[in-house]
Amino acid sequence: MHPFVYDQPAARVIFGVGSLDRLAEEVKRLGARRAIVLSTPDQRSDAEEAARRLGDMAAAIFAEAVMHVPIETARAARDVAKQLDADCYVAIGGGSTIGLGKAIALETGMPIIAVPTTFAGSEMTPIYGLTEGGIKKTGRDRRVLPRTVLYDPTLTLTLPARIAGPSGMNAIAHCVEGLYAQDASPIMTLLAAEGIRALSCSLPIVVKEPKNLEARSDALYGAWLAGTVLGNVGMAIHHKLCHTLGGTFNLPHAETHTVVLPHAMEFNREAAADAMRIAADALGVRDTAQGLYDLAQRLGGPLALKDIGMPADGLDRAARLATENPYYNPRPVEYAGVRQLLENAFHGKRPA
Ligand code: NAD
């Protein structure tokens, strides 16, 4: 048994089909009276559903959430709350909308209720990201952690296969890196293994049978576990590479995770043998790297960085950036190995 610290930043979680109906009750439970509902422009109808549940307690809908959380958007949402005398936010959507809620909470300390509609897991973490003057900043602060999270699988029914698959692979990535985290703990290992199991069993059904609510519930359950792992332990080379690729080459977030994950597992295969065995058991396969590649393929990909906007002449730079600042990874992160990992991911080669 390794020594560990377990310091759980607790959020109240309400899980189940129809849990959105409990929104008004949960706002009152926080001692709040008037909520601003946040969403992307695409998900205005979800925001309207939430506002309908809130009745008189809905102060306004602010459907302007976009990727990367521009600080201006967070400030505009904060001003709306001031004008309307609102005292809490409901963020309904994926990581981008919940990220907007977090940026507002960071500045104002106002409580956030998160209603996730993808599998990204941001709702369970104290990690925030925001863009100011074209530069994306990230950090950890417990103030940004939503106070209450309502997981209603019904809301994921509209998530198309092309978003659901990568979003689920993003969640699996939190779990597998949690297994070999420097600050791994026995509880997080249990959650991570169960998250991998729940997601890998349900996602192929989610993308094939869009109306299968049971599979969507299982995937959302896995996403909750995955988000909890991400919020509690540090990530390693896989997440570092995805942030580098996303930030430098503007590659799409969940798709980048989907492509890179099998190759990061191949990179760490020997150095994190125990974690690989737990992940392989949870996936029901012999080899984690190959199993994740096959899963990504079953979900419809993407499988290659070249297919999601990565320029071939950017691979050297990406490898340099990813190896510049030393950080924890079970295998030392050196240029040649990372360059090879990126080459394999660029072409979408199945791990050997
Ligand atoms: P997203 O929030 O950007 O959503 C992608 C698109 O899908 C949006 O247009 C959204 O409106 C739409 N969408 C979401 N749910 C839908 C549904 N049920 N039906 C129909 N359309 C729906 O995507 P994401 O993958 O959830 O989040 C990615 C962002 O979250 C990234 O910026 C990433 O950095 C961040 N993130 C942060 C953390 C954290 O802990 N801070 C964790 C994971 C991801």
Side-chain angles (χ1 to χ4, degrees), residues 1 32 40 93 115 123-124 164 191 216 225 249 256 274 306 338:
M1 177 68 66
T40 60
V115 187
E123 65 282 355
M124 295 310 295
L191 297 191
R216 292 199 178 234
L225 301 179
F249 302 98
T256 307
D274 288 349
K306 64 180 161 60
V338 171

Side-chain angles (χ1 to χ4, degrees), residues 39-43 46 65-69 93-99 102 116-129 136 139 154-160 162-163 166-167 170 174 216 227 230-231 243 253-254 257:
S39 76
T40 60
D42 287 350
Q43 285 185 275
D46 284 335
V66 290
M67 262 189 354
H68 306 311
V69 193
S96 296
T97 303
I98 292 168
K102 287 174 160 183
T117 64
T118 69
F119 308 130
S122 175
E123 65 282 355
M124 295 310 295
T125 84
I127 306 164
Y128 65 87
K136 190 162 180 179
T154 324
L155 295 166
T156 69
L157 282 170
T158 48
L159 196 63
R162 72 182 160 76
I163 302 181
S167 176
N170 186 189
H174 308 330
R216 292 199 178 234
L230 176 67
H243 289 155
H253 179 85
H257 275 272

Side-chain angles (χ1 to χ4, degrees), residues 3 20 51 61 135 163 180 331:
L20 186 65
I61 290 175
I135 295 170
I163 302 181
Y180 55 61
R331 171 177 159 186

